[in-house]
Amino acid sequence: MHAAEMRIVPATQEPGLVCCGGGALFLVSAGGCKVEVFHTQQEECPLICRFSTMGIVHSIVYSQIGDYLVTIEEKNGATYLRAYTNWRYQAAEKKRVGVRLLGHLMRGQALHGTPKEQMEIVEIPLSETPLCTACCSITGALLVACAKSLVLFSLKRQSLNDQLDALDFERLLILYVSGWSPSQVALCGGYVAMQTELEVLVVKLENLEKICASDEEHMQLRGDVMAAAGVTDADGKKEPQSPFESDDYFVFPKHLEMLGDKAKDCGVSLTLEWTGMDTEANDNMGVTYILYRRFAPDFFQGCTVEETRLHSLQLHPMYTGNPDVSSDAENSDPACMFCFFSLPNAGYMYSLKNTVELISAYQYPEKAHQALLCNEFLHVITQNALQCFSVRCSAVAARVEDPYIDTTMKACPPFTMEVSALRIQLFIGLKSLCHDGNHIVLLTAADIETKEETERATRRSIKSKEQNSMAGIFLAVGINPTTSPALESFLSRSFLSKKTSVSKLKEPSESGHGWNLYVISTVSTLQLYREMVEYSKRYEQTSPLSQNYVHLLSEAHLLLRASLLCSPNTDRAKIQEAFQESCAHLGDCFSRLEKRDCHLALPYYKMSGLSVTEVIQRNVAVCRGPAPDYGNGFLFFLKHSLYEETMEELSEETANTVLEIFSKAEPGQLPYVVSSSFMKNANPVCVRVHLEHLELSGAPSVTVSLCKAAQALRLGDLHYYQQQMDRHAEMLQVYGFIEEPKLLVHRRGKAMVPTELARHLRDTQDGLLVAAVVALHENSKVKLEEAELFFQELCKDSAESQSIPQLLVDFWEALLVASSQESIVQELLFHLTSVYIERIMCRERSGIKALKTAEDLINSCSHYGSLFPWLNILTPAQFNITHDHQEDLQKLQSLLCGPTLDVSSIVPLLEQLPDEDNTGLSVHMLCATKLGQHENAIEKLLDRCPHAIVSYANHELRRDKMALWWLKLFPELCERIRLSSGDNGVLLTALKETLAVVAMELNPVEFLNLIPDDGTAHFFLAHLLKCSQKHLLT
Amino acid sequence: MAAKSSLLKVILLGDGGVGKSSLMNRYVSDKFDAHLFHTIGVEFLNKELEVDGRRVTLQIWDTAGQERFRSLRTPFYRGSDCCLLTFGVDDAQSFLNLGHWRKEFAYYADVKEPDSFPFIILGNKIDVVERQVTTEEVQRWCCDNGGHPYFETSAKDATNVAEAFEEAARRVLALEDRQAHVMPSDVVDLRRKPRSSSRCCL
Ligand SMILES: Nc1nc2c(ncn2[C@@H]2O[C@H](COP(=O)(O)OP(=O)(O)OP(=O)(O)O)[C@@H](O)[C@H]2O)c(=O)[nH]1
Ligand SMILES: [Mg+2]
């Protein structure tokens, strides 16, 4: 934090207590009975109003929600809890102030004509003395801590007119705390944090947010406003003894940290009593332990019990998403919740949501009076200094918001990154600190005797002192200002700017009192960011590869993230721009690193919005010289960008540069680099030279040869091409393609673009091409659909008329031979049967030969079965169709004869195939048979091609279909012979064959029964004889 | 606790319409309104003044006198340093009710010894011609009930108003001085002491 502007608040009396919020600063004068309110947003911090309290104020807290103040006051020995509402109406000091009890909201129509524009004080009766209070920044609810219990009030708002809200509170619940009196409490959402001298406990009240958030709906004026307030008496509970207190000694346990559910064993027991009006809510309420910490004074560090005392307990919510867009952020659940508390020498920040964990521990260089956590910084005051530390809120929130962080897509500095001190400013006698938006308010008060002396001394020494401590801080984050003239000049400059701003105002000594109130506005995030980048640059020059340089840039990056996450911004676009720039800086950083985290260059560059060409230029610019030494991060980035196929096409110059880079740094990568589509503008002669160089250096490989061949094609040097292609057997070349698929195909989004080499192979070595793509598929380099797209694209402009190019069918057939994946097989079978059927139906042929014949397939692939013998009778080879046609028919028949094809799945396809000729008939017969419709098939065959029936029956009517011989075939034959008019030789032969089979299968009686009554005895006699002979034998 | 005496809580009690709000307005703002609304609940105003060379802040509490507002006003009696019992000289009933007001105050303010508590009696509206209560009547009542001072005022004409409030301040200060002599250690520090058990750590 760098002071941009420092103003002095024109308070007239020495403030005792200070608090701020909502653009207002509240001072309780030392006497304790008067509150003065000043504008913090306006130049001169003018007075807004001034009003008296009803007693001496011991504590004051402001709630932005509801714009109310809560005080603990004392008058004549009694302690009161009061809420000051509509205080802005006190601008005219001599205005009456209304006073009422909690629950006595009485602005009913019946009682009043018009609402009064007047301040109202709500007195909140309690059965115990209040010790401290806290307000929820989300709902405006109020938490009051007493010695034995915490009481929670929800805020009730009733709008009286456009400007005027009447506020009231409802006593929602009481939380009895055993053996524990908090010295400080905090409330946010459902989280309740409490702190004693050395212990912190955080719990969550389940479902509380919902109840509190809906206060507007619950708000209704009760008819009996005059009834006495329903004050619940909350004493008489017997607390169990704390387990840490034994009878005689108080045992101080050592440091203890209990996270999440474990915290319930901390020994502090809580009992919840619901006192709200909505009794249903009661059932859903419960307390969950979130965090418990206990500290012990460290006597060896010279601490006393009094010194080791916790302070500055805070709950800090953080929302994600663009705050400009989600305007209802206030009502929604915050994405992150942090808890901060502090010992004199150390501060702790925990994250409470998701997992409960310690995010940061701060070590203060000197004893801190008070600390304040906000989204971007932790402010700490010590006796004489305001210190500012970095925080990790945005690093935690970023990860909640974006699941892609910590992948190759996006990155963010880790929240475990050491926090650093960013800035120190000196003040004399700092007493208290508060924070509102981008303002910090500081109260200083010098001790009376030493006051003037110190001031004089300070003014003399402030320059050197401030410079020294700042130098110290920069050393702490790894910056040595003495080696960096610019930084030194920054130190004096920042001092000067502070001095000028102060000198405009009254100097403390001139104002004649020992105290002062400063309002300091924080520098805009952008300005601060630029300064940090500036230092990092100076620093980089002196020691470029230090982690501290990365650290500083990471801090700057987190600062911008915090700003994007949290504050609605007028200059959001500018911050977004700076954010991308910071990503680029970090990308540069990591690209130069050797090992650790160098891979982060990739996500940061991606987030930077820089093109690959720009990234290359940035890195080349840095690594100029005779032997440029590129960092691993940069090479990692380049490799990934080339392989992920997400980048732009490089110009010839840049592409040649990339060649140079890899030739030097990682020559082994060259084959992959030159095969990238983005490199296609690289000079082919250049590429060839680099590849030959690679081969000479002892790395000859199939892939390199293939690359060289591909480049030769670009050069039109077919001779050289052939040389390269002849160097290795096709089988080995397939391995080469597996190693670098981009030799054949480039991806453009979802599209598959065949390379020049692939086109050349299509025309010259289609077998190799198909084999290579099958190999790519089997090695998971391409998916089936992608391979299909590839072939479609490859054959798009060929002379083929068919919708499915032959090369693709070849690929399917080859893949069916090779693949063992069941799902792929089924898909291929379906593709192929439909192609075959289509081709059988339309007789036009392109004349392109298939790579594999039906015979090849039957011999090499189990899915293609041997053709059943009866098919040879039905569709004999050299049938009256073309060869190609015959091939397709045989492939289809073969698939139907094979074991794999699920016939039922292709039945719909078959419907289009007519069975007028034997071609179609054969296919339909095969299907019917496969589906078990043998009787149907027998009839069809007898109708259309009876001379095939015996062959069919012999092959198909077996085992469980045996009975069809006598139950179906025999009667059919008899019937047809009887009806036939003469030439029935074929049928008679078939009948004889049938009888021969039946005679062997049936016993004589059965056989006799079968013989038709009108039959000629001698025709059957021989068979009957055979039948009885067989049965005598058995 | 020097601050204790600087803020003095003075409360106005009395029947509805006797002129409590008018008295406060006259004293603090020097204004008079002939058609004032009845007060609802409780309101207060601060007035700084100097009595016998001491600067004090009078916190003047105006209450609703009507019966129906009783529950709204009684919680705020506590902590009063002085009570101004007010009636209208043109309203006999308001005078007769003074005793009830005194009792209600003593009860809710939790006054231990009502006899030594500084009450001041104000007979307002003396500008009105038709008086129903005579000065003597009131003086007798004051004598019988502990010797309270009595002021006859008119908020309308600003008669005796400042005098009455200044007397209230004077009475409170006098009482405090007396108590400070009797019990010098009267001051109670309410801020909690740190947990005492931390004395004997192991
Ligand atoms: N003539 C005359 N009229 C007065 C005087 N003081 C008050 N009034 C009138 O008496 C009426 C009632 O006066 P308030 O001051 O409202 O009486 P109050 O005691 O505050 O009444 P509550 O608020 O109901 O308790 C108003 O109309 C005043 O103008 C006075 O000294 N002389
Ligand atoms: Mg009134």
Side-chain angles (χ1 to χ4, degrees):
Chain A
M1 205 277 311
H2 309 268
E5 198 189 338
M6 184 155 73
R7 290 164 289 156
I8 291 180
V9 182
T12 50
Q13 290 185 35
E14 176 164 5
L17 297 166
V18 179
C19 74
C20 63
L25 167 65
F26 305 89
L27 310 179
V28 181
S29 57
C33 289
K34 182 157 265 179
V35 177
E36 289 187 303
V37 193
F38 297 90
H39 260 295
T40 52
Q41 312 284 353
Q42 288 179 20
E43 187 61 41
E44 306 280 307
C45 298
L47 183 77
I48 298 175
C49 67
R50 184 183 281 143
F51 56 86
S52 297
T53 58
M54 290 157 58
I56 296 166
V57 179
H58 291 303
S59 129
I60 184 163
V61 172
Y62 171 76
S63 169
Q64 179 137 24
I65 309 282
D67 195 29
Y68 70 90
L69 284 161
V70 173
T71 61
I72 297 175
E73 299 176 11
E74 183 243 308
K75 173 94 173 113
N76 292 352
T79 306
Y80 302 87
L81 181 69
R82 292 177 177 135
Y84 289 74
T85 73
N86 286 325
W87 50 270
R88 288 178 201 268
Y89 291 118
Q90 274 313 99
E93 217 177 322
K94 287 279 168 266
K95 268 188 121 176
R96 290 164 165 260
V97 177
V99 186
R100 63 184 145 91
L101 274 186
L102 167 106
H104 279 203
L105 187 54
M106 57 205 170
R107 298 289 204 181
Q109 223 77 41
L111 297 166
H112 245 267
T114 48
K116 272 197 208 168
E117 297 192 342
Q118 75 172 21
M119 176 160 111
E120 276 199 308
I121 300 172
V122 182
E123 184 149 323
I124 304 169
L126 289 168
S127 58
E128 278 187 272
T129 307
L131 303 176
C132 50
T133 58
C135 297
C136 172
S137 61
I138 301 169
T139 61
L142 168 66
L143 181 69
V144 182
C146 307
K148 292 172 183 169
S149 61
L150 306 181
V151 189
L152 188 108
F153 299 88
S154 66
L155 177 66
K156 305 272 153 196
R157 282 197 266 194
Q158 193 204 14
S159 85
L160 299 176
N161 57 35
D162 289 348
Q163 291 99 45
L164 204 54
D165 260 356
L167 297 192
D168 200 3
F169 297 87
E170 182 190 339
R171 192 182 313 259
L172 274 193
L173 59 88
I174 303 172
L175 202 58
Y176 298 98
V177 187
S178 74
W180 231 69
S181 287
S183 58
Q184 231 179 320
V185 286
L187 171 70
C188 191
Y191 292 88
V192 171
M194 45 198 130
Q195 164 194 295
T196 63
E197 267 171 37
L198 290 169
E199 290 166 272
V200 174
L201 175 64
V202 182
V203 297
K204 182 154 195 283
L205 301 174
E206 301 300 340
N207 296 311
L208 181 68
E209 310 97 298
K210 284 174 217 138
I211 298 163
C212 281
S214 58
D215 66 309
E216 242 89 353
E217 285 132 51
H218 280 247
M219 188 64 216
Q220 46 185 214
L221 271 186
R222 284 178 295 156
D224 55 339
V225 282
M226 302 308 165
V231 183
T232 319
D233 271 298
D235 39 21
K237 284 243 168 177
K238 189 80 203 108
E239 274 82 29
Q241 274 251 304
S242 163
F244 300 112
E245 270 169 273
S246 66
D247 291 345
D248 303 316
Y249 300 101
F250 182 79
V251 182
F252 237 113
K254 291 220 171 64
H255 295 279
L256 201 60
E257 182 189 59
M258 295 167 134
L259 301 180
D261 213 28
K262 291 200 185 81
K264 71 170 184 290
D265 299 325
C266 68
V268 183
S269 79
L270 301 170
T271 322
L272 191 148
E273 182 191 330
W274 179 256
T275 54
M277 290 195 287
D278 178 3
T279 45
E280 246 172 67
N282 183 20
D283 303 337
N284 304 321
M285 294 296 300
V287 188
T288 314
Y289 286 77
I290 302 289
L291 166 69
Y292 175 77
R293 262 213 87 160
R294 180 170 57 226
F295 298 91
D298 193 344
F299 299 107
F300 296 98
Q301 297 241 307
C303 289
T304 63
V305 178
E306 284 65 38
E307 273 173 358
T308 312
R309 188 175 292 171
L310 284 163
H311 60 72
S312 304
L313 178 70
Q314 225 183 312
L315 286 171
H316 183 72
M318 199 161 178
Y319 295 91
T320 59
N322 185 345
D324 295 331
V325 178
S326 49
S327 58
D328 57 345
E330 273 183 3
N331 301 321
S332 68
D333 209 18
C336 298
M337 185 66 73
F338 301 103
C339 180
F340 179 84
F341 46 86
S342 190
L343 281 171
N345 297 313
Y348 302 88
M349 187 187 88
Y350 282 84
S351 172
L352 302 182
K353 276 208 160 174
N354 307 319
T355 50
V356 184
E357 60 183 315
L358 178 65
I359 301 294
S360 313
Y362 294 85
Q363 290 298 324
Y364 311 135
E366 49 180 331
K367 192 178 156 188
H369 292 333
Q370 203 187 335
L372 237 171
L373 177 72
C374 47
N375 285 329
E376 290 159 313
F377 306 105
L378 175 75
H379 302 286
V380 175
I381 54 168
T382 64
Q383 179 67 32
N384 289 316
L386 166 67
Q387 311 192 352
C388 172
F389 294 85
S390 58
V391 293
R392 297 289 167 259
C393 299
S394 62
V396 174
R399 288 172 170 82
V400 173
E401 184 190 44
D402 192 343
Y404 283 104
I405 285 177
D406 300 325
T407 67
T408 56
M409 306 291 294
K410 289 179 185 174
C412 172
F415 56 74
T416 49
M417 189 171 78
E418 282 281 294
V419 287
S420 34
L422 295 176
R423 162 91 179 188
I424 279 192
Q425 265 179 293
L426 296 183
F427 290 87
I428 310 298
L430 281 169
K431 291 290 179 251
S432 71
L433 160 73
C434 54
H435 164 260
D436 177 23
N438 50 353
H439 296 287
I440 295 169
V441 177
L442 287 174
L443 172 63
T444 66
D447 299 327
I448 306 294
E449 328 81 64
T450 57
K451 187 171 60 191
E452 271 184 41
E453 194 188 323
T454 340
E455 274 169 19
R456 240 177 289 123
T458 312
R459 274 203 301 283
R460 265 201 316 277
S461 68
I462 192 161
K463 174 169 180 167
S464 61
K465 211 169 164 190
E466 170 156 312
Q467 260 178 297
N468 282 343
S469 52
M470 283 194 61
I473 291 311
F474 282 110
L475 279 172
V477 294
I479 297 169
N480 186 354
T482 54
T483 61
S484 161
L487 193 56
E488 239 179 356
S489 82
F490 156 74
L491 291 179
S492 40
R493 194 177 67 227
S494 86
F495 164 69
L496 285 174
S497 68
K498 178 198 159 187
K499 177 135 198 196
T500 41
S501 69
V502 170
S503 59
K504 276 192 242 148
L505 300 154
K506 275 196 270 179
E507 285 280 341
S509 60
E510 290 168 44
S511 61
H513 46 63
W515 57 268
N516 252 313
L517 253 182
Y518 301 96
V519 174
I520 302 172
S521 11
T522 50
V523 167
S524 81
T525 305
L526 273 180
Q527 191 183 333
L528 184 53
Y529 163 74
R530 298 233 165 83
E531 285 181 13
M532 289 170 91
V533 171
E534 181 93 348
Y535 316 143
S536 77
K537 274 191 190 141
R538 307 294 170 191
Y539 186 70
E540 183 197 5
Q541 288 169 354
T542 58
S543 161
L545 289 177
S546 149
Q547 278 293 320
N548 296 318
Y549 164 54
V550 183
H551 193 151
L552 198 55
L553 281 179
S554 302
E555 291 284 11
H557 178 88
L558 286 178
L559 204 60
L560 294 173
R561 265 194 190 278
S563 174
L564 285 173
L565 280 173
C566 328
S567 39
N569 266 306
T570 41
D571 47 9
R572 192 176 180 81
K574 279 198 189 131
I575 292 190
Q576 189 66 48
E577 202 178 290
F579 180 77
Q580 290 200 331
E581 182 200 285
S582 120
C583 291
H585 287 315
L586 282 168
D588 288 345
C589 247
F590 287 109
S591 74
R592 272 151 233 169
L593 285 182
E594 279 316 305
K595 280 239 168 55
R596 237 193 82 184
D597 298 335
C598 70
H599 63 278
L600 290 173
L602 178 65
Y604 279 119
Y605 274 140
K606 277 186 186 168
M607 290 159 69
S608 74
L610 291 176
S611 69
V612 175
T613 305
E614 286 167 316
V615 171
I616 292 169
Q617 283 162 355
R618 288 168 86 103
N619 278 275
V620 167
V622 176
C623 297
R624 229 181 272 286
D629 185 14
Y630 296 100
N632 279 337
F634 174 57
L635 292 174
F636 180 82
F637 165 80
L638 260 190
K639 271 187 275 180
H640 257 268
S641 304
L642 285 167
Y643 304 156
E644 277 180 8
E645 314 205 313
T646 48
M647 59 186 273
E648 75 278 5
E649 215 167 79
L650 299 178
S651 70
E652 177 173 347
E653 193 196 340
T654 316
N656 290 346
T657 310
V658 170
L659 283 178
E660 298 279 344
I661 292 169
F662 278 102
S663 265
K664 297 246 165 49
E666 254 181 275
Q669 293 291 330
L670 277 174
Y672 315 110
V673 172
V674 302
S675 306
S676 164
S677 60
F678 313 109
M679 292 291 288
K680 73 180 196 195
N681 295 325
N683 183 327
V685 180
C686 245
V687 176
R688 190 199 279 183
V689 170
H690 281 296
L691 288 171
E692 272 166 359
H693 201 267
L694 173 64
E695 272 191 327
L696 282 178
S697 68
S701 75
V702 188
T703 318
V704 176
S705 301
L706 290 172
C707 288
K708 284 161 77 186
Q711 295 301 322
L713 284 181
R714 287 182 64 200
L715 286 165
D717 185 348
L718 284 180
H719 176 69
Y720 188 83
Y721 169 80
Q722 208 50 54
Q723 261 184 355
Q724 297 305 317
M725 291 305 282
D726 289 347
R727 285 177 67 176
H728 305 280
E730 284 200 348
M731 193 59 203
L732 291 177
Q733 288 175 329
V734 167
Y735 284 119
F737 288 122
I738 295 174
E739 210 169 300
E740 186 43 277
K742 287 196 195 92
L743 281 163
L744 293 178
V745 58
H746 289 149
R747 289 162 206 271
R748 281 267 184 279
K750 286 212 158 76
M752 303 294 280
V753 183
T755 61
E756 208 175 337
L757 178 59
R759 290 179 195 284
H760 193 75
L761 289 177
R762 176 194 63 194
D763 302 333
T764 57
Q765 282 177 279
D766 51 356
L768 173 60
L769 182 61
V770 168
V773 179
V774 168
L776 290 186
H777 178 271
E778 290 304 281
N779 286 279
S780 309
K781 305 280 182 181
V782 293
K783 295 199 192 82
L784 182 54
E785 312 83 70
E786 290 170 339
E788 287 163 0
L789 279 176
F790 169 76
F791 283 110
Q792 297 272 18
E793 185 64 32
L794 193 64
C795 303
K796 198 167 61 185
D797 36 40
S798 78
E800 270 184 287
S801 59
Q802 267 137 329
S803 59
I804 310 252
Q806 179 56 43
L807 210 51
L808 177 54
V809 179
D810 291 334
F811 167 71
W812 281 336
E813 287 172 350
L815 186 59
L816 188 58
V817 173
S819 181
S820 52
Q821 264 175 274
E822 182 54 29
S823 61
I824 293 288
V825 167
Q826 284 306 330
E827 198 173 340
L828 290 172
L829 286 174
F830 186 80
H831 282 324
L832 285 169
T833 41
S834 35
V835 169
Y836 295 148
I837 289 170
E838 188 190 327
R839 288 190 176 177
I840 293 165
M841 286 191 327
C842 71
R843 304 195 161 219
E844 241 173 279
R845 290 310 316 266
S846 62
I848 298 176
K849 278 250 172 331
L851 279 174
K852 284 191 159 61
T853 63
E855 205 181 323
D856 291 340
L857 291 170
I858 292 167
N859 289 334
S860 60
C861 174
S862 64
H863 307 301
Y864 288 88
S866 313
L867 297 180
F868 298 155
W870 52 272
L871 287 169
N872 279 324
I873 303 170
L874 211 55
T875 54
Q878 275 82 49
F879 194 53
N880 63 342
I881 45 174
T882 65
H883 175 74
D884 290 342
H885 197 150
Q886 180 72 12
E887 277 293 310
D888 289 327
L889 175 63
Q890 284 191 357
K891 284 175 183 174
L892 178 59
Q893 289 173 337
S894 170
L895 279 182
L896 286 164
C897 294
T900 326
L901 181 65
D902 174 13
V903 177
S904 59
S905 72
I906 62 156
V907 168
L909 294 175
L910 284 177
E911 275 165 16
Q912 340 160 23
L913 182 68
D915 64 352
E916 287 124 37
D917 59 2
N918 282 4
T919 310
L921 181 66
S922 70
V923 176
H924 283 283
M925 292 281 300
L926 272 171
C927 283
T929 308
K930 274 235 156 171
L931 293 170
Q933 301 159 355
H934 291 69
E935 299 178 42
N936 217 326
I938 289 168
E939 282 171 30
K940 262 219 175 107
L941 207 52
L942 285 175
D943 287 346
R944 301 273 304 277
C945 188
H947 60 272
I949 190 69
V950 175
S951 175
Y952 177 86
N954 275 327
H955 191 261
E956 304 297 342
L957 304 186
R958 285 185 291 185
R959 283 179 290 273
D960 60 324
K961 298 291 177 192
M962 201 65 188
L964 288 178
W965 281 96
W966 53 89
L967 294 182
K968 181 66 184 178
L969 184 55
F970 180 76
E972 278 287 337
L973 282 169
C974 292
E975 181 70 9
R976 281 166 199 261
I977 291 168
R978 191 178 301 127
L979 293 176
S980 68
S981 49
D983 181 21
N984 53 8
V986 179
L987 291 174
L988 278 175
T989 317
L991 185 63
K992 277 185 192 142
E993 294 279 340
T994 306
L995 278 170
V997 172
V998 173
M1000 295 308 287
E1001 294 297 323
L1002 299 183
N1003 65 40
V1005 181
E1006 289 167 333
F1007 190 77
L1008 272 175
N1009 282 339
L1010 198 65
I1011 297 171
D1013 302 337
D1014 59 345
T1016 345
H1018 81 264
F1019 186 86
F1020 294 101
L1021 214 56
H1023 297 288
L1024 183 61
L1025 192 64
K1026 232 184 227 163
C1027 178
S1028 23
Q1029 273 170 351
K1030 179 174 176 264
H1031 273 268
L1032 281 176
L1033 283 174
T1034 52
Chain B
M1 234 188 233
K4 187 186 174 189
S5 55
S6 68
L7 186 74
L8 309 179
K9 176 171 174 179
V10 174
I11 191 162
L12 284 158
L13 298 185
D15 281 8
V18 297
K20 300 181 291 299
S21 303
S22 301
L23 284 167
M24 178 156 105
N25 285 352
R26 171 60 77 194
Y27 181 53
V28 178
S29 321
D30 200 21
K31 280 185 187 132
F32 178 78
D33 183 350
H35 304 284
L36 215 54
F37 287 110
H38 281 295
T39 305
I40 297 168
V42 178
E43 294 174 350
F44 73 84
L45 265 178
N46 281 20
K47 166 91 176 172
E48 286 183 17
L49 74 158
E50 217 177 285
V51 274
D52 309 331
R54 290 167 71 172
R55 286 199 68 79
V56 293
T57 305
L58 269 195
Q59 190 165 76
I60 304 165
W61 287 61
D62 179 22
T63 60
Q66 289 182 312
E67 174 60 22
R68 57 187 180 129
F69 296 123
R70 182 202 297 260
S71 71
L72 295 181
R73 68 177 179 248
T74 49
F76 298 99
Y77 293 0
R78 276 199 320 156
S80 300
D81 295 300
C82 178
C83 179
L84 304 180
L85 294 175
T86 314
F87 68 95
V89 294
D90 60 338
D91 175 1
Q93 188 56 46
S94 73
F95 172 67
L96 293 176
N97 284 341
L98 281 184
H100 301 301
W101 282 110
R102 204 176 98 111
K103 278 196 201 114
E104 182 179 287
F105 175 78
Y107 180 79
Y108 286 103
D110 210 9
V111 174
K112 295 283 157 347
E113 297 161 71
D115 291 340
S116 60
F117 187 85
F119 287 101
I120 291 175
I121 314 301
L122 304 183
N124 190 34
K125 305 197 188 178
I126 51 159
D127 58 284
V128 180
V129 194
E130 306 88 36
R131 272 185 77 133
Q132 294 189 3
V133 188
T134 64
T135 312
E136 295 70 36
E137 264 179 290
V138 187
Q139 278 168 343
R140 205 173 316 124
W141 186 88
C142 287
C143 263
D144 295 348
N145 287 278
H148 307 309
Y150 172 54
F151 287 84
E152 295 209 325
T153 60
S154 164
K156 190 178 174 193
D157 299 347
T159 313
N160 256 344
V161 177
E163 288 79 353
F165 282 104
E166 276 159 26
E167 176 62 17
R170 209 168 278 122
R171 292 258 158 178
V172 178
L173 291 177
L175 195 67
E176 273 178 8
D177 288 347
R178 219 177 313 134
Q179 281 172 348
H181 285 296
V182 179
M183 303 181 288
S185 60
D186 183 34
V187 180
V188 181
D189 189 354
L190 271 175
R191 279 160 295 191
R192 294 194 55 84
K193 298 243 163 57
R195 197 146 97 181
S196 57
S197 44
S198 55
R199 265 176 288 119
C200 43
C201 335
L202 287 184

